[in-house]
Amino acid sequence: MRVFVTGGTGNIGSGVVRELLDHGHEVVGLARSDASAAALEAAGVAVHRGELADLDGLRAAAAAADGVVHMAFVHDFTDFTASAETDLRAVRAMGAALEGSGRPLIIASGTSFAPGRTVTEADEGDPRTAGPRGVTEQELIAMAGRNVRSAAVRFPPTVHGAGDVHGFIPRLIGVARDRGVAAFAGDGTNRWPAVHRLDAAHLVRLALEGAPAGSRLHGVDDEGVPLRHVAEVIGRHLGLPVKGIAAEDAAGHFGWLGALVSADVPATSTATRALLGWRPRHAGLLADLDEGHYFQAAATR
């Protein structure tokens, strides 16, 4: 299959590219910069120069492909709404190019919040409160009615592994270094789901090859790791004390991460595993943290 991939040099996307190539697919990768183009070429990928705002270019690349994997996102948290709107327009453009073809369009999405319970693939989200990325997912799922084999692969807050330099775990490590304490909010029993980046990439390939149209899939291995346990590993590796921060003080301590650090957002992937036979085989979050690569990388920045 000739696959057009956006975000092919990112944390998940680079793993997706390798996974696709290793399983006999031809990959064309979107490259915004010379550095991204060089990285893709070094991996054995054909390059399509452009960016998410270039809708004509995205439509052309999607039309020329047997399937599309969309992993890119503008990670500008100072204007998240604008980033999400750029993403929505990109998904619409690529979906339009595939309309009526039955070809796959796989996008990265996020597990949602459902206070007090574990989120499943059956949670569609309330259109009134879905947020800008939730709207994109809803429009993607609706493309199934226009003969696009659309699937949203929902990833948890932490997609971890060697090479993760911009995710939440490196940011938590950075806050701990800056503050001199490895902290958690409240009593630290609130949970984050997590998955290794290579297991995430494997699921994306399975979705591309066989997910039914209109699928919501969960790329979740650890269903819920207590944040206190994450802080304890960070504190041990950095030689810092570990302590709780009052929930009302989390924003002051963690900055924009405060709300997420305080959230209890467990999720399951039971239905995804049954549907596609996906079985995570790489280290869980705490074991991966204990390997030490996060702290070595942080020390060099």
Side-chain angles (χ1 to χ4, degrees), residues 107-120:
I107 74 165
S109 187
T111 54
S112 58
F113 292 15
R117 65 176 179 83
T118 299
V119 174
T120 75

Side-chain angles (χ1 to χ4, degrees), residues 230-255:
V230 174
E232 288 169 349
V233 177
I234 291 174
R236 184 168 67 252
H237 278 267
L238 296 181
L240 295 175
V242 178
K243 74 171 186 178
I245 301 293
E248 59 269 24
D249 296 330
H253 184 88
F254 293 100

Side-chain angles (χ1 to χ4, degrees), residues 106-187:
I106 313 300
I107 74 165
S109 187
T111 54
S112 58
F113 292 15
R117 65 176 179 83
T118 299
V119 174
T120 75
E121 295 89 338
D123 287 294
E124 298 181 7
D126 185 337
R128 296 167 298 178
T129 59
R133 291 204 79 179
V135 171
T136 300
E137 180 183 302
Q138 291 165 354
E139 290 207 16
L140 173 88
I141 298 303
M143 291 176 189
R146 300 193 295 277
N147 198 20
V148 177
R149 188 161 60 81
S150 57
V153 183
R154 293 169 165 174
F155 294 117
T158 289
V159 181
H160 58 89
D164 172 21
V165 296
H166 299 298
F168 292 128
I169 292 299
R171 293 174 191 272
L172 285 179
I173 292 171
V175 170
R177 286 186 183 277
D178 292 343
R179 298 285 189 174
V181 60
F184 52 87
D187 63 4

Side-chain angles (χ1 to χ4, degrees), residues 20-105:
L20 293 176
L21 292 173
D22 287 349
H23 287 81
H25 296 288
E26 178 186 355
V27 178
V28 178
L30 178 70
R32 181 172 57 88
S33 66
D34 291 342
S36 293
L40 290 171
E41 289 173 346
V45 172
V47 172
H48 175 91
R49 292 302 296 258
E51 56 186 26
L52 292 186
D54 177 14
L55 302 184
D56 288 339
L58 293 180
R59 277 189 286 265
D66 299 313
V68 176
V69 172
H70 175 50
M71 296 287 109
F73 190 79
V74 180
H75 291 283
D76 179 3
F77 292 101
T78 64
D79 195 348
F80 183 79
T81 297
S83 296
E85 289 173 349
T86 296
D87 187 60
L88 174 58
R89 288 190 290 269
V91 170
R92 284 173 174 167
M94 293 184 287
L98 298 177
E99 191 168 316
S101 71
R103 287 175 284 170
L105 172 57

Side-chain angles (χ1 to χ4, degrees), residues 181-242:
V181 60
F184 52 87
D187 63 4
T189 59
N190 61 300
R191 298 155 293 173
W192 276 5
V195 68
H196 195 282
R197 58 182 290 273
L198 298 181
D199 287 320
H202 178 52
L203 176 57
V204 169
R205 177 179 64 81
L206 294 179
L208 176 78
E209 294 174 347
S215 295
R216 289 180 172 90
L217 307 170
H218 275 195
V220 172
D221 182 12
D222 292 309
E223 292 192 359
V225 180
L227 264 290
R228 180 179 190 127
H229 295 176
V230 174
E232 288 169 349
V233 177
I234 291 174
R236 184 168 67 252
H237 278 267
L238 296 181
L240 295 175
V242 178

